[in-house]
Amino acid sequence: MLTTDFPTGSPCWIDLGSPDIPATADFYNKVFGWTFQSAGPETGGYGFFQLNGKAVGAVGPLDEGDRSTWTTYFRATDVDTTVKAAEQAGGTVLVPPMDVMGEGRFAQLADPQGARFAIWQAGTTTGLDAVSEDNTLVWSELHTNDQDAGFAFYQKLFGWRVENFEPSPGMSYRVISTSEGDQQATSFGGIAPTMQPDQPSAWTPYFAAADVDALVAKATAAGGSVLMPAEDVPNVGRIAWLADPNGAPFALIKGEPRQ
Protein backbone atom coordinates (compact mmCIF):
# COMPACT_ATOMS: atom_id res chain seq x y z
CA MET A 1 0.00 0.00 0.00
CA LEU A 2 1.30 3.43 -0.93
CA THR A 3 2.04 5.64 2.08
CA THR A 4 3.60 9.07 2.60
CA ASP A 5 6.69 7.42 4.15
CA PHE A 6 7.95 7.16 0.54
CA PRO A 7 10.73 4.58 0.86
CA THR A 8 13.30 4.41 -1.93
CA GLY A 9 11.73 3.28 -5.19
CA SER A 10 8.15 4.17 -4.30
CA PRO A 11 5.99 6.66 -6.22
CA CYS A 12 6.29 9.96 -4.36
CA TRP A 13 4.94 12.61 -6.76
CA ILE A 14 2.85 12.98 -9.91
CA ASP A 15 2.49 15.92 -12.23
CA LEU A 16 0.77 16.71 -15.49
CA GLY A 17 1.79 18.71 -18.52
CA SER A 18 -1.11 20.77 -19.83
CA PRO A 19 -1.65 23.16 -22.77
CA ASP A 20 -4.28 25.02 -20.74
CA ILE A 21 -3.66 24.96 -16.99
CA PRO A 22 -6.83 26.82 -15.89
CA ALA A 23 -9.06 24.52 -17.98
CA THR A 24 -7.20 21.44 -16.73
CA ALA A 25 -7.52 22.58 -13.12
CA ASP A 26 -11.25 23.11 -13.67
CA PHE A 27 -11.65 19.57 -15.03
CA TYR A 28 -9.93 17.91 -12.07
CA ASN A 29 -11.84 20.14 -9.66
CA LYS A 30 -15.11 18.88 -11.13
CA VAL A 31 -13.99 15.24 -10.97
CA PHE A 32 -12.03 15.03 -7.70
CA GLY A 33 -12.70 18.33 -5.95
CA TRP A 34 -9.07 19.38 -6.32
CA THR A 35 -8.11 23.05 -6.12
CA PHE A 36 -5.14 24.67 -7.85
CA GLN A 37 -2.45 26.57 -5.96
CA SER A 38 0.23 28.37 -7.96
CA ALA A 39 3.82 27.62 -6.97
CA GLY A 40 4.74 31.24 -7.75
CA PRO A 41 5.64 33.39 -10.74
CA GLU A 42 9.19 32.04 -10.89
CA THR A 43 7.93 28.52 -11.71
CA GLY A 44 6.53 29.33 -15.15
CA GLY A 45 2.93 28.48 -14.32
CA TYR A 46 3.61 25.28 -12.37
CA GLY A 47 1.30 24.73 -9.43
CA PHE A 48 -0.17 22.17 -7.06
CA PHE A 49 -3.40 20.24 -7.03
CA GLN A 50 -4.69 20.24 -3.48
CA LEU A 51 -7.41 18.33 -1.64
CA ASN A 52 -8.37 19.68 1.78
CA GLY A 53 -5.20 21.78 1.71
CA LYS A 54 -2.92 18.82 0.99
CA ALA A 55 -0.85 18.44 -2.18
CA VAL A 56 -2.09 15.46 -4.23
CA GLY A 57 -0.39 16.27 -7.54
CA ALA A 58 0.76 19.12 -9.72
CA VAL A 59 0.36 20.61 -13.18
CA GLY A 60 2.60 22.70 -15.38
CA PRO A 61 2.95 23.98 -18.95
CA LEU A 62 3.23 21.36 -21.67
CA ASP A 63 6.64 21.23 -23.32
CA GLU A 64 6.59 21.94 -27.06
CA GLY A 65 6.07 18.75 -29.04
CA ASP A 66 4.94 16.71 -26.02
CA ARG A 67 1.53 15.21 -25.48
CA SER A 68 -0.38 15.82 -22.27
CA THR A 69 0.33 13.00 -19.83
CA TRP A 70 0.82 12.28 -16.14
CA THR A 71 4.42 11.72 -15.01
CA THR A 72 5.13 9.46 -12.05
CA TYR A 73 8.12 10.33 -9.84
CA PHE A 74 9.92 7.62 -7.88
CA ARG A 75 11.91 8.30 -4.72
CA ALA A 76 15.67 8.07 -5.25
CA THR A 77 18.38 8.17 -2.61
CA ASP A 78 20.76 9.85 -5.05
CA VAL A 79 19.42 11.19 -8.34
CA ASP A 80 22.80 11.42 -10.08
CA THR A 81 23.75 7.84 -9.21
CA THR A 82 20.33 6.59 -10.32
CA VAL A 83 20.60 8.43 -13.64
CA LYS A 84 23.95 6.76 -14.32
CA ALA A 85 22.46 3.35 -13.49
CA ALA A 86 19.53 4.05 -15.81
CA GLU A 87 21.83 4.94 -18.70
CA GLN A 88 23.92 1.81 -18.14
CA ALA A 89 20.72 -0.27 -18.15
CA GLY A 90 19.55 1.16 -21.49
CA GLY A 91 17.41 4.07 -20.30
CA THR A 92 17.35 7.54 -21.81
CA VAL A 93 17.84 10.85 -19.98
CA LEU A 94 15.14 13.32 -21.02
CA VAL A 95 15.87 16.00 -18.40
CA PRO A 96 19.27 15.81 -16.67
CA PRO A 97 19.54 16.09 -12.88
CA MET A 98 18.71 19.52 -11.52
CA ASP A 99 17.87 21.15 -8.21
CA VAL A 100 14.38 22.55 -7.59
CA MET A 101 14.75 25.61 -5.35
CA GLY A 102 15.82 23.60 -2.32
CA GLU A 103 12.73 21.39 -2.51
CA GLY A 104 14.71 18.48 -3.94
CA ARG A 105 16.63 17.23 -6.95
CA PHE A 106 15.05 15.50 -9.92
CA ALA A 107 15.62 14.07 -13.38
CA GLN A 108 13.27 12.76 -16.06
CA LEU A 109 14.01 9.51 -17.85
CA ALA A 110 12.58 6.95 -20.24
CA ASP A 111 13.02 3.21 -19.76
CA PRO A 112 14.30 1.02 -22.63
CA GLN A 113 10.71 0.41 -23.81
CA GLY A 114 10.04 4.17 -23.94
CA ALA A 115 7.93 4.67 -20.79
CA ARG A 116 8.63 8.08 -19.27
CA PHE A 117 9.11 8.60 -15.55
CA ALA A 118 10.97 10.88 -13.16
CA ILE A 119 13.06 10.42 -10.04
CA TRP A 120 13.06 12.61 -6.95
CA GLN A 121 15.69 13.10 -4.26
CA ALA A 122 14.00 14.80 -1.34
CA GLY A 123 15.10 18.16 -0.02
CA THR A 124 12.50 20.06 1.97
CA THR A 125 9.75 18.26 -0.01
CA THR A 126 9.52 14.51 0.51
CA GLY A 127 6.51 13.93 -1.73
CA LEU A 128 2.75 14.22 -1.89
CA ASP A 129 0.89 15.16 1.27
CA ALA A 130 -1.88 12.59 0.85
CA VAL A 131 -2.07 9.19 -0.88
CA SER A 132 -4.26 6.07 -0.65
CA GLU A 133 -7.31 8.15 0.28
CA ASP A 134 -10.37 8.83 -1.85
CA ASN A 135 -9.48 11.06 -4.82
CA THR A 136 -5.71 10.65 -4.32
CA LEU A 137 -2.99 8.48 -5.83
CA VAL A 138 -3.22 4.87 -4.70
CA TRP A 139 -1.49 2.75 -7.38
CA SER A 140 0.96 3.20 -10.27
CA GLU A 141 0.84 0.89 -13.26
CA LEU A 142 3.29 0.31 -16.10
CA HIS A 143 1.90 -1.00 -19.37
CA THR A 144 4.78 -2.29 -21.43
CA ASN A 145 5.45 -4.49 -24.45
CA ASP A 146 8.05 -6.46 -22.46
CA GLN A 147 7.17 -7.15 -18.83
CA ASP A 148 10.36 -9.05 -18.05
CA ALA A 149 12.66 -6.36 -19.45
CA GLY A 150 10.56 -3.63 -17.90
CA PHE A 151 10.84 -5.09 -14.42
CA ALA A 152 14.56 -5.90 -14.81
CA PHE A 153 15.34 -2.28 -15.66
CA TYR A 154 13.61 -0.83 -12.59
CA GLN A 155 14.97 -3.54 -10.33
CA LYS A 156 18.49 -2.38 -11.23
CA LEU A 157 17.54 1.18 -10.27
CA PHE A 158 15.47 0.62 -7.13
CA GLY A 159 15.79 -3.02 -6.06
CA TRP A 160 12.06 -3.63 -6.58
CA ARG A 161 10.56 -7.00 -5.75
CA VAL A 162 7.91 -8.68 -7.86
CA GLU A 163 5.09 -11.17 -7.37
CA ASN A 164 3.22 -12.72 -10.26
CA PHE A 165 -0.52 -12.21 -9.97
CA GLU A 166 -3.31 -13.60 -12.15
CA PRO A 167 -6.50 -11.56 -11.63
CA SER A 168 -8.26 -13.74 -14.20
CA PRO A 169 -7.23 -16.82 -16.22
CA GLY A 170 -4.64 -15.96 -18.85
CA MET A 171 -4.05 -12.42 -17.59
CA SER A 172 -0.39 -11.67 -16.86
CA TYR A 173 0.23 -9.13 -14.11
CA ARG A 174 3.25 -8.37 -11.92
CA VAL A 175 2.75 -6.70 -8.55
CA ILE A 176 5.77 -4.59 -7.59
CA SER A 177 7.02 -3.66 -4.13
CA THR A 178 9.86 -1.63 -2.68
CA SER A 179 13.10 -3.35 -1.73
CA GLU A 180 12.49 -3.46 2.02
CA GLY A 181 9.66 -4.36 4.39
CA ASP A 182 6.83 -6.84 4.04
CA GLN A 183 6.48 -7.47 0.31
CA GLN A 184 2.70 -7.37 0.14
CA ALA A 185 2.39 -4.43 2.54
CA THR A 186 4.86 -2.35 0.49
CA SER A 187 3.32 -3.12 -2.92
CA PHE A 188 2.49 0.10 -4.75
CA GLY A 189 1.93 -0.78 -8.38
CA GLY A 190 1.95 -3.28 -11.17
CA ILE A 191 3.36 -4.16 -14.57
CA ALA A 192 0.95 -5.31 -17.28
CA PRO A 193 1.12 -5.92 -21.03
CA THR A 194 0.11 -3.07 -23.32
CA MET A 195 -3.55 -3.30 -24.27
CA GLN A 196 -2.85 -2.96 -28.00
CA PRO A 197 0.23 -4.08 -29.99
CA ASP A 198 0.95 -0.52 -31.12
CA GLN A 199 0.28 1.09 -27.73
CA PRO A 200 3.37 2.90 -26.37
CA SER A 201 4.73 1.79 -23.01
CA ALA A 202 3.67 4.21 -20.27
CA TRP A 203 3.05 4.69 -16.56
CA THR A 204 -0.52 5.49 -15.53
CA PRO A 205 -1.71 6.72 -12.10
CA TYR A 206 -4.70 5.16 -10.35
CA PHE A 207 -6.79 7.33 -8.05
CA ALA A 208 -8.85 5.85 -5.23
CA ALA A 209 -12.59 6.27 -5.74
CA ALA A 210 -15.44 5.84 -3.29
CA ASP A 211 -17.74 5.40 -6.31
CA VAL A 212 -16.03 4.67 -9.62
CA ASP A 213 -19.19 5.06 -11.69
CA ALA A 214 -20.01 8.43 -10.18
CA LEU A 215 -16.54 9.75 -11.00
CA VAL A 216 -16.76 8.40 -14.55
CA ALA A 217 -20.00 10.36 -14.95
CA LYS A 218 -18.38 13.52 -13.58
CA ALA A 219 -15.39 13.14 -15.88
CA THR A 220 -17.44 12.67 -19.03
CA ALA A 221 -19.72 15.57 -18.11
CA ALA A 222 -16.59 17.74 -17.71
CA GLY A 223 -15.26 16.84 -21.16
CA GLY A 224 -13.21 13.72 -20.42
CA SER A 225 -13.46 10.45 -22.31
CA VAL A 226 -13.77 6.80 -21.29
CA LEU A 227 -10.90 4.56 -22.37
CA MET A 228 -12.19 1.51 -20.51
CA PRO A 229 -15.68 1.46 -18.97
CA ALA A 230 -16.09 0.73 -15.28
CA GLU A 231 -15.94 -2.99 -14.58
CA ASP A 232 -15.38 -5.37 -11.70
CA VAL A 233 -12.08 -7.25 -11.87
CA PRO A 234 -11.97 -10.40 -9.70
CA ASN A 235 -9.60 -10.13 -6.74
CA VAL A 236 -8.86 -6.50 -7.60
CA GLY A 237 -11.92 -4.25 -7.37
CA ARG A 238 -13.89 -1.96 -9.64
CA ILE A 239 -11.80 0.01 -12.09
CA ALA A 240 -12.15 2.36 -15.05
CA TRP A 241 -9.73 4.09 -17.39
CA LEU A 242 -10.35 7.67 -18.46
CA ALA A 243 -8.63 10.51 -20.30
CA ASP A 244 -8.94 14.18 -19.45
CA PRO A 245 -9.95 16.70 -22.18
CA ASN A 246 -6.31 16.95 -23.32
CA GLY A 247 -6.00 13.18 -23.68
CA ALA A 248 -3.96 12.43 -20.52
CA PRO A 249 -4.90 8.91 -19.32
CA PHE A 250 -5.63 8.08 -15.70
CA ALA A 251 -7.48 5.32 -13.91
CA LEU A 252 -9.91 4.91 -11.02
CA ILE A 253 -10.16 2.05 -8.55
CA LYS A 254 -12.48 1.25 -5.66
CA GLY A 255 -11.00 -0.88 -2.95
CA GLU A 256 -7.47 -2.10 -2.38
CA PRO A 257 -5.42 -2.96 -5.47
CA ARG A 258 -4.62 -6.25 -3.75
CA GLN A 259 -7.38 -7.98 -1.82
Side-chain angles (χ1 to χ4, degrees):
M1 182 178 179
L2 187 61
T3 71
T4 54
D5 293 335
F6 300 125
T8 298
S10 65
C12 61
W13 192 262
I14 50 172
D15 63 16
L16 176 65
S18 169
D20 187 335
I21 292 174
T24 296
D26 182 63
F27 171 80
Y28 287 99
N29 175 261
K30 290 175 178 175
V31 178
F32 295 124
W34 296 350
T35 57
F36 175 75
Q37 178 66 48
S38 172
E42 69 277 11
T43 62
Y46 193 88
F48 308 114
F49 287 127
Q50 295 184 329
L51 184 66
N52 300 321
K54 296 180 178 181
V56 294
V59 61
L62 188 65
D63 292 333
E64 186 175 352
D66 279 353
R67 60 186 178 87
S68 186
T69 188
W70 283 97
T71 297
T72 300
Y73 290 62
F74 297 98
R75 179 76 179 272
T77 303
D78 185 306
V79 161
D80 298 80
T81 300
T82 304
V83 165
K84 291 178 182 177
E87 289 182 297
Q88 292 172 354
T92 303
V93 179
L94 303 176
V95 179
M98 65 176 62
D99 293 322
V100 185
M101 298 180 293
E103 300 297 328
R105 187 167 175 81
F106 95 105
Q108 189 177 104
L109 308 167
D111 68 24
Q113 285 70 50
R116 295 187 174 198
F117 67 101
I119 52 177
W120 181 256
Q121 179 181 335
T124 55
T125 295
T126 304
L128 301 172
D129 294 331
V131 296
S132 299
E133 302 172 7
D134 287 346
N135 301 330
T136 70
L137 181 69
V138 68
W139 196 249
S140 295
E141 193 167 88
L142 173 64
H143 283 245
T144 177
N145 53 28
D146 191 331
Q147 288 176 283
D148 290 336
F151 172 71
F153 171 80
Y154 293 98
Q155 187 180 45
K156 290 176 181 176
L157 269 57
F158 304 118
W160 286 353
R161 294 170 291 176
V162 67
E163 178 184 359
N164 293 328
F165 177 55
E166 193 171 298
S168 58
M171 182 178 178
S172 175
Y173 196 86
R174 318 283 176 88
V175 176
I176 44 180
S177 308
T178 55
S179 62
E180 298 180 355
D182 179 84
Q183 187 166 348
Q184 185 167 345
T186 59
S187 62
F188 62 82
I191 302 176
T194 51
M195 297 179 185
Q196 303 293 335
D198 59 347
Q199 179 185 350
S201 297
W203 283 96
T204 300
Y206 276 69
F207 299 107
D211 186 329
V212 168
D213 299 79
L215 290 189
V216 169
K218 288 182 179 181
T220 53
S225 55
V226 177
L227 303 179
M228 186 183 78
E231 65 174 297
D232 294 320
V233 177
N235 303 313
V236 175
R238 190 162 181 79
I239 65 175
W241 272 58
L242 305 170
D244 69 19
N246 297 311
F250 64 97
L252 307 172
I253 184 166
K254 176 178 173 59
E256 295 294 329
R258 295 293 310 275
Q259 297 295 332

